């Protein structure tokens, strides 16, 4: 029996599957590869946000993943399939090491620390010529090559459609893991820490440990996304205008807020919406950023739940219009509520 | 040396810069006792509770809980070994429903890790269901079950106090610290809150330290009372005798030589 919930799940899945065929051009397929990578990055930065912290250094963790994966495949002869998890682990390890000292402070102070770390790491990658190629960048990153999968046969991931499907599978599995973690007690605990870290501590939650856990998880998946990015681009540079600059992190936060940060799939909606809209509005030329910017401001003001909150917002408007809410919830006559 | 007392505080001092909030405090509390801590505003009562169950690390002195030194332990470790707390201000998980509030407080009753979350979801779901029932039971005992799906921040003050109590009780602590449990409540609520609190504390066999300004409430529930003023314990007596103590009368009503109208 087909339930509505499984239909809701299947529709985007089918849509994702059809993209390379439907658009039929490398241009659009490449765009959607970047959409998928950005979905993973934005969904993972939201994991940090769940505990109430805003990391401004997410692009740096993507960079760590990208460079680790690139250097391992170019210089150490690793295959992509091994370099991918290793790059996630490397990114997570760095997050673990800096997480414990950094997450002792919260709020704006944590954001400042992560900005500084992000830029420091980017400068390191930009200057470490022997390892990262420095200003010239790191080129010749191999594509994943061939992989024999039972039932499907041997697939060569050289083409962009094949790489698209590979990215789709890896991003989907990553999102599934993040989803299961969020729906479990980890998610409840994270939200509790965001609500009140003081009370969370008092009921026995190790606040520092759980915030670091979320930070490391997020950075692990940022590393995975970085690795996918590196093998897609085949050329990495770390100058300030590259993908690893601060502006990327700001974009992730923007996608998250536009899509709706309260829901798990908000970031995915936000990324797809903004990136596709950016492509479609290229003809506006110099007015493009004005257009996207004003739209973003409008969404933030008018849609507190983001794009993904639209159905619920419409529902509540309809309910308020057609149903007399007082009839459903009569004023309580609880003696405790009575005040002098 | 292992202490025979349930909670033993010896030589406890806390200074903030030049201000000595608590100086050389000694207290012994035995198991099952309901102990009152009273004194004028700013006497250092909340500071004492903060050192026992909170994040404050005393400048000097020792706190032994069941013979274990808990001085300066992180607050979640204190919760784990059985110290629960009701805050003076209504600190709750504001945007959570009442059930969720209590579910979070049941954190220590469930063991979970990443592998379990990913591969043993059935098992965890069953445990969560049990916790859900348990949370509902706790809300029922404090009388909030009818509004369990309400968001905490929307509750009136009195019910927020009750929810704070439910959170503290959910941890099933051996020692519960109540910082002004009936503050800001109307007269009819005070009695109800105290009845609920004390009957539950007795039922679970908890030891309890209460800070309270409502002296009638203190008289009615506490076994023993200590009076604190300017960070020093000026008296410690059984409840019935405490208000005959000359120093207590002096602290509350003023002594002969410190009349302020002259």
């Amino acid at each position: 029996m087909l339930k509505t919930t499984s239909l809701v799940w299947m529709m985007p899945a089918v849509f994702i599957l059809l993209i390379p065929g439907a658009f039929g051009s490398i241009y659009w397929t490449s765009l959607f590869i970047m959409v998928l990578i950005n979905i993973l990055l934005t969904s993972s930065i939201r994991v940090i946000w769940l505990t109430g912290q805003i990391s401004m250094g997410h692009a740096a963790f993507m960079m760590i993943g990208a460079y680790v994966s690139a250097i391992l495949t170019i210089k150490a002869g690793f295959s992509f399939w091994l370099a991918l998890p290793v790059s996630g682990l490397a990114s997570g390890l760095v997050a673990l090491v800096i997480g414990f000292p950094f997450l002792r402070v919260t709020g704006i102070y944590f954001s400042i620390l992560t900005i500084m770390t992000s830029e420091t790491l980017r400068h390191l990658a930009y200057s470490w010529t022997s390892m990262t190629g420095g200003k010239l960048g790191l080129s010749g990153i191999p594509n994943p090559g061939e992989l024999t999968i039972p039932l499907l046969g041997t697939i060569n991931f050289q083409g962009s459609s094949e790489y698209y499907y590979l990215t789709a599978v890896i991003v989907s599995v990553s999102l599934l893991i993040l989803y299961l973690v969020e729906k479990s007690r980890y998610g409840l605990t994270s939200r509790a820490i965001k609500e009140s870290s003081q009370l969370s501590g008092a009921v026995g939650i190790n606040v520092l440990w759980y915030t670091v856990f979320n930070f490391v998880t997020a950075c692990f998946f940022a590393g995975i996304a970085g690795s996918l990015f590196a093998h897609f681009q085949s050329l990495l540079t770390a100058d300030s205008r590259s993908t690893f600059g601060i502006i990327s992190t700001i974009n992730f936060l923007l996608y998250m807020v536009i899509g709706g940060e309260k829901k798990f799939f908000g970031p995915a909606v936000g990324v797809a919406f903004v990136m596709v809209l950016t492509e479609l509005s290229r003809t506006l030329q110099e007015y493009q950023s004005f257009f996207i910017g004003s739209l973003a401001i409008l969404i933030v003001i008018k849609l507190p739940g983001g794009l993904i909150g639209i159905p619920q917002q419409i529902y509540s408007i309809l309910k308020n219009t057609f149903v007399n809410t007082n009839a459903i919830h009569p004023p309580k006559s609880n003696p405790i509520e009575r005040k002098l | 040396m292992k202490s025979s007392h349930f909670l033993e505080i010896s030589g406890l001092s806390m200074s903030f810069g030049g201000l000595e909030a608590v100086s050389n405090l000694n207290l012994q509390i035995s198991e099952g006792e309901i102990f009152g801590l009273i004194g004028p505003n700013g006497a250092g009562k909340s500071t004492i509770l903060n050192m026992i169950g909170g994040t404050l690390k005393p400048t000097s002195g020792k706190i032994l809980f069941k013979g274990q030194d808990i001085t300066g332990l992180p607050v979640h470790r204190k919760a784990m070994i059985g110290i629960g707390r009701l805050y003076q201000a209504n600190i709750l998980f504001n945007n959570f429903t009442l059930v969720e509030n209590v579910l979070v407080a049941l954190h220590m009753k469930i063991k979970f890790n990443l592998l379990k979350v990913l591969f043993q979801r059935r098992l965890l779901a069953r445990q969560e269901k049990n916790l859900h029932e348990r949370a509902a039971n706790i809300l029922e005992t404090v009388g909030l079950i009818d509004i369990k799906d309400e968001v905490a921040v929307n509750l009136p003050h009195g019910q927020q106090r009750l929810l704070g109590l439910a959170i503290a009780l959910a941890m099933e602590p051996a020692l519960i610290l109540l910082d002004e449990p009936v503050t800001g409540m109307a007269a009819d609520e005070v009695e109800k809150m105290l009845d609920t609190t004390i009957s539950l504390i007795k039922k679970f066999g908890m030891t309890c330290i209460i800070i309270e300004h409502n002296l009638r409430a203190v008289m009615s529930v506490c076994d023993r009372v200590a009076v604190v003023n300017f960070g020093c314990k000026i008296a410690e007596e059984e409840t019935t005798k405490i208000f005959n103590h000359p120093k207590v009368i002096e602290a509350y009503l003023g002594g002969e030589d410190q009349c302020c109208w002259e």
Side-chain angles (χ1 to χ4, degrees), chain A residues 185 195 198 202 206 334 336, chain B residues 91 94-95 103 128 171 189:
Chain A
R185 197 154 255 273
E195 287 290 319
Q198 189 185 5
N206 188 344
N334 194 329
I336 283 192
Chain B
I91 299 178
N94 278 336
N95 297 312
L103 272 178
E128 286 287 348
M171 297 158 59
E189 294 175 338

Side-chain angles (χ1 to χ4, degrees), chain B residues 43-109:
Chain B
K45 306 182 300 293
S46 289
T47 312
I48 296 169
L49 279 208
N50 255 331
M51 285 188 283
I52 301 172
T55 43
L56 269 190
K57 201 178 170 193
T59 331
S60 64
K62 253 189 178 179
I63 305 169
L64 296 178
F65 175 67
K66 291 187 194 164
Q68 188 187 345
D69 189 357
I70 59 160
T71 326
L73 219 59
V75 64
H76 67 272
R77 291 288 311 280
K78 288 179 183 173
M80 278 176 189
I81 59 173
I83 301 179
R85 182 146 193 229
L86 173 69
Y87 286 94
Q88 183 175 2
N90 280 335
I91 299 178
L92 302 166
F93 301 114
N94 278 336
N95 297 312
F96 283 16
T97 63
L98 268 58
V99 177
E100 283 177 322
N101 265 281
V102 181
L103 272 178
V104 175
L106 291 168
H107 177 81
M108 289 180 288
K109 310 290 175 201

Side-chain angles (χ1 to χ4, degrees), chain A residues 194-339:
Chain A
K194 183 166 183 270
E195 287 290 319
S196 167
S197 60
Q198 189 185 5
L199 186 58
S200 299
V203 299
I205 294 170
N206 188 344
V207 173
L208 181 64
W209 197 91
Y210 279 97
T211 34
V212 170
F213 173 84
N214 278 31
F215 186 54
V216 171
T217 312
C219 292
F220 172 83
F221 286 109
I224 297 280
S227 171
L228 286 171
F229 175 77
H231 294 275
F232 169 58
Q233 293 281 308
S234 79
L235 170 72
L236 292 179
T237 52
D239 61 272
S240 61
R241 301 184 67 189
S242 69
T243 323
F244 305 130
I246 285 292
I247 193 75
S248 294
T249 309
I250 294 171
N251 277 335
F252 303 150
L253 294 170
L254 186 77
Y255 298 146
M256 181 175 93
V257 172
I258 287 180
E261 75 277 14
K262 292 186 186 77
K263 293 264 164 43
F264 181 83
F265 287 103
V269 173
V271 171
F273 177 78
V274 178
M275 286 187 73
V276 171
L277 198 70
T278 309
E279 274 321 299
L280 293 177
S281 62
R282 282 229 185 271
T283 45
L284 293 175
Q285 295 177 355
E286 64 264 43
Y287 298 107
Q288 188 196 24
S289 29
F290 173 74
F291 170 66
I292 303 271
S294 3
L295 200 70
I297 292 170
L298 208 67
I299 287 172
V300 169
I301 293 172
K302 287 290 171 192
L303 301 171
L307 289 172
I308 205 163
I310 290 177
Q312 206 176 358
Q313 213 166 343
I314 292 174
Y315 173 76
S316 64
I317 290 170
L318 288 179
K319 207 173 108 185
N320 286 337
T321 324
F322 294 111
V323 185
N324 183 2
T325 40
N326 284 339
I328 296 175
H329 302 290
K332 291 187 194 80
S333 54
N334 194 329
I336 283 192
E337 268 189 328
R338 206 189 62 233
K339 284 271 155 71

Side-chain angles (χ1 to χ4, degrees), chain A residues 33-34 37 62 64-75 77-88 138-145 157-160 162-164 166-167 170 223-236 244:
Chain A
I33 290 174
M34 279 316 292
I37 291 174
M62 176 197 182
I64 292 171
Y67 274 107
V68 166
S69 194
I71 290 168
L72 284 180
T73 44
I74 295 172
K75 302 197 172 164
F78 275 49
S79 77
F80 166 79
W81 312 107
L82 190 59
L84 179 79
V86 171
S87 56
L138 194 62
S139 59
I141 304 163
N143 58 48
F157 288 101
Q158 209 160 3
S160 60
E162 286 82 358
Y163 198 81
Y164 171 84
L166 175 72
T167 311
I170 292 169
I224 297 280
S227 171
L228 286 171
F229 175 77
H231 294 275
F232 169 58
Q233 293 281 308
S234 79
L235 170 72
L236 292 179
F244 305 130

Side-chain angles (χ1 to χ4, degrees), chain B residues 146-208:
Chain B
D146 296 336
I147 48 168
K148 69 183 170 67
D149 292 321
E150 200 80 42
V151 178
V153 72
N154 294 340
L155 297 187
H157 175 80
Q159 292 183 342
Q160 289 194 344
R161 296 303 289 165
L162 281 172
L163 179 59
L165 182 68
I167 290 173
L169 289 173
M171 297 158 59
E172 294 180 1
L175 172 68
I176 188 165
L177 311 172
L178 305 175
D179 199 343
E180 301 195 20
V182 296
T183 181
M185 288 176 126
D188 54 338
E189 294 175 338
V190 168
E191 212 160 300
K192 188 172 174 252
M193 175 83 180
L194 279 179
D195 281 352
T196 318
T197 314
I198 298 309
S199 66
L200 288 173
I201 285 170
K202 292 244 164 85
K203 188 175 144 198
F204 293 119
M206 295 171 187
T207 310
C208 175

